[in-house]
Amino acid sequence: MSAGPESTHVSSLGKGDSLHQQVLASFPLCDMTEEDLAQNPQLCKLLATLAQHVDRTGLTVSLKTELDKAEQKLQSQRRHWLRSESLHRGLQEMTQDHCVRKHHATVPPDQNMFYETMEKCLLVAQCVRQLDPSSTTNQDQPSLLGLNTQQVMELMPSEKNVQRMKQSLPRELEKHLKKKCLNLLSYYQPEWENESEGLKNSKLSHLSVQLDKEKKRAESLKETCRENALLLQRQTQLYLSELTKCIQLLQSLILEHRLKVQTDLDKKKLDYFEGKCELVLQKIKAEMVEIQLDTYTADSISSHRKIREKLESELKACQVEKQSVDLKLASFEILGKEFEALAEEYCRLRQEIEMKKWALKEFTQYNNK
């Protein structure tokens, strides 16, 4: 591609901010901002030229066309499979409902024959499909259980019963599908459950349109959420870049302010360390006084212990002397004046012993304090 068409296309897109916005809109999946495009003008021109040949997802026009055709073919085959699968499951549900009804009520013989015939036909068709090899299967490979489709088809009900079943099948299937649709209607709009049968049928005819609108609305909301997420991501990046600039500016202001007040900070630190040293010295002095008091207390305890031992020895001596006096009193009770002299001496010794006991008791209480 020559430079002339590129320049013409770029100029047709716009210039400046308008060009940046158009490039970002053409490539929503790219993680870019207007600032990135402003810093790289050549990249912006390249993307503007590329937007003429690719869509918003990055696919070329020819590839997008082939992809749409393949998507349409896939959707057609999917609809065909869903149609047959829905019919098959509906018939299975009918047979299951019939089995439940048989256990709760009496079923007419013709209905019983109809559902039994339909169930056998479904089972035979399922077995035949399992035995039918696909185009990628080796044709010489042994079949399942050694059976072939002809042997399984022999298990089909009689032709008469099959024809009767086919005649009644559209009517019974319509009743079953209508019941399911009414249940869906009641689930979608519970307030319609008590309406008349005709009104339900009228509203049921519009149910598919309403569900389709709801589906499109949900898809639109999903696309809006995706676009909002991309917009939020870009705004977050812009916010983070602006926040980084603010942080850098704040750091420079802090550094400048710190240099101005460094002298005051050093003076305050010096005052703080001086006060801390004074507190440490006072604490050391208090510990030294406490040690001296502990030493004095230990000495006084030692002296008190010695006094206590002395008093205890004197008490023992007085007790011994008392015992000897008691012996003398016992031997000289019969004497007159001599006994009185001994009794007086005895009283004196008793008083002296009581005094020493009192002194010892007071000393002991003092030491316990």
Side-chain angles (χ1 to χ4, degrees), residues 114-327:
F114 168 77
Y115 285 105
E116 287 180 358
T117 303
M118 184 176 65
E119 185 177 7
K120 287 182 181 179
C121 292
L122 288 175
L123 291 175
V124 170
Q126 187 175 0
C127 292
V128 169
R129 187 172 58 181
Q130 293 292 333
L131 293 174
D132 187 19
S134 64
S135 58
T136 59
T137 306
N138 187 5
Q139 301 294 330
D140 298 333
Q141 183 178 357
S143 60
L144 183 64
L145 300 177
L147 299 174
N148 53 38
T149 56
Q150 186 64 31
Q151 293 172 334
V152 176
M153 289 295 294
E154 293 176 359
L155 300 176
M156 283 284 291
S158 63
E159 185 66 24
K160 182 179 178 180
N161 292 335
V162 172
Q163 291 299 327
R164 289 180 179 177
M165 184 268 296
K166 288 182 178 180
Q167 291 177 358
S168 303
L169 181 60
R171 182 177 64 256
E172 296 295 331
L173 182 60
E174 182 180 1
K175 289 169 58 178
H176 177 73
L177 293 177
K178 184 177 180 181
K179 181 181 178 181
K180 288 189 67 176
C181 291
L182 291 176
N183 292 334
L184 179 61
L185 179 65
S186 300
Y187 175 79
Y188 179 68
Q189 292 290 342
E191 63 272 11
W192 293 351
E193 188 173 0
N194 298 325
E195 299 289 344
S196 63
E197 188 72 20
L199 188 58
K200 282 185 179 179
N201 293 332
S202 175
K203 292 182 177 180
L204 190 61
S205 61
H206 303 289
L207 182 61
S208 60
V209 178
Q210 292 178 353
L211 292 177
D212 188 55
K213 289 181 179 179
E214 291 289 337
K215 181 180 178 182
K216 292 180 179 179
R217 179 173 173 271
E219 291 176 351
S220 176
L221 291 175
K222 185 177 180 181
E223 180 67 20
T224 303
C225 290
R226 190 183 69 82
E227 293 177 356
N228 290 338
L230 292 174
L231 180 61
L232 179 61
Q233 184 178 6
R234 292 189 188 130
Q235 292 178 349
T236 303
Q237 292 176 350
L238 292 174
Y239 170 75
L240 291 176
S241 62
E242 294 296 328
L243 185 61
T244 303
K245 294 178 182 178
C246 292
I247 291 174
Q248 292 175 354
L249 179 60
L250 184 60
Q251 287 177 345
S252 62
L253 293 175
I254 290 173
L255 181 60
E256 183 180 357
H257 179 70
R258 184 177 180 182
L259 292 175
K260 290 180 180 180
V261 300
Q262 187 65 39
T263 305
D264 295 336
L265 291 176
D266 293 339
K267 184 178 179 181
K268 290 179 180 179
K269 285 183 180 180
L270 182 60
D271 295 339
Y272 167 73
F273 287 124
E274 287 179 354
K276 191 172 182 180
C277 291
E278 290 180 359
L279 290 176
V280 172
L281 289 175
Q282 291 178 1
K283 187 176 180 181
I284 292 172
K285 289 179 181 180
E287 291 178 353
M288 290 178 67
V289 171
E290 186 178 354
I291 292 171
Q292 290 175 358
L293 290 175
D294 292 341
T295 305
Y296 173 75
T297 303
D299 294 339
S300 68
I301 291 172
S302 176
S303 63
H304 289 166
R305 189 180 293 113
K306 290 179 181 179
I307 295 172
R308 182 177 179 180
E309 291 175 355
K310 183 179 180 181
L311 290 173
E312 287 178 350
S313 64
E314 290 180 359
L315 178 61
K316 289 180 181 179
C318 291
Q319 288 176 350
V320 172
E321 187 176 357
K322 176 179 175 291
Q323 290 177 0
S324 64
V325 172
D326 289 337
L327 291 174

Side-chain angles (χ1 to χ4, degrees), residues 13-39:
L13 285 175
K15 295 183 179 180
D17 296 338
S18 176
L19 177 61
H20 296 163
Q21 293 175 1
Q22 291 179 11
V23 169
L24 292 176
S26 300
F27 298 95
L29 301 180
C30 295
D31 188 12
M32 294 184 301
T33 62
E34 293 186 16
E35 184 178 356
D36 297 332
L37 296 176
Q39 294 177 357

